[in-house]
Amino acid sequence: MAALPRLVCASSVALVVWAGFCSAVCVEVPSETEAVQGTHMKLLCISCMKREEVTASTVVEWFYRPEGGKDEPIYEYRKTNHEFPSRFSGRLQWNGSKDMQDVSITVLNVTLNDSGIYTCNITREFEFEIHRPLFTSSRLIHLTVVEEAGEDFTSVISEIMMYILLVFLTLWLLIEMVYCYRKVSKAEEAAQENATDYLAIPSENKENCAVPVEE
């Protein structure tokens, strides 16, 4: 049991170090692809830049394509934010970072009609001394909007494992309590038997049992 606090402490330290390391690193994480009707959905679009590419002007264009339809512009960032007239008018929010590596947007109050394909186009013009190269990239997000949130398989497994661990710890605690109780009971019985045997010895034998004292 003494090793448990040390294990928790070591895990906490490792988590802090890992978080500090990851906070300084750009990771291109894919966006979630399922949203619940009436909630806010963040369309994640991350395009990492290398250290020598930090000085650059960035243009971000967001498009939406319904099933069987064509791409239509819905949002643009070109030094300032611009929202195009569309079904999303008044429901789009910029969530990009200052370094323009995260150029995500959020759709507010998602509806069932918002299902479709979202395209995030990033264009960067790098400011080198000799030339200004352009870099372009795209991210596709196939979004499905559902009426109610489904049970996540991972969360179900986590809950099952939590209950199994709880039952195991409870049984282990009961076993420890029974073991300690039996050990204490045996010690008390042994003490009572010794006391009974001592009382059953005649008085003269008790005197003989005394340890002689050397002069």
Side-chain angles (χ1 to χ4, degrees), residues 170-183:
T170 303
L171 292 177
W172 177 79
L173 182 60
L174 290 175
I175 293 174
E176 286 290 327
M177 292 176 62
V178 172
Y179 172 77
C180 292
Y181 175 77
R182 289 183 177 180
K183 190 173 182 179

Side-chain angles (χ1 to χ4, degrees), residues 30-34 36-37 40 51 56 59 67 74 78 83 88 99 105 108 117 145 159 168 182 184 192 207:
S31 176
E32 295 184 2
T33 58
E34 183 175 295
V36 180
Q37 181 182 12
H40 301 340
R51 182 174 300 177
V59 175
E67 294 184 7
I74 59 174
R78 193 186 299 264
E83 182 178 343
F88 303 98
D99 59 6
I105 61 173
L108 307 177
I117 300 175
V145 182
E159 291 181 3
F168 173 77
R182 289 183 177 180
V184 172
Q192 291 179 357
E207 295 178 355

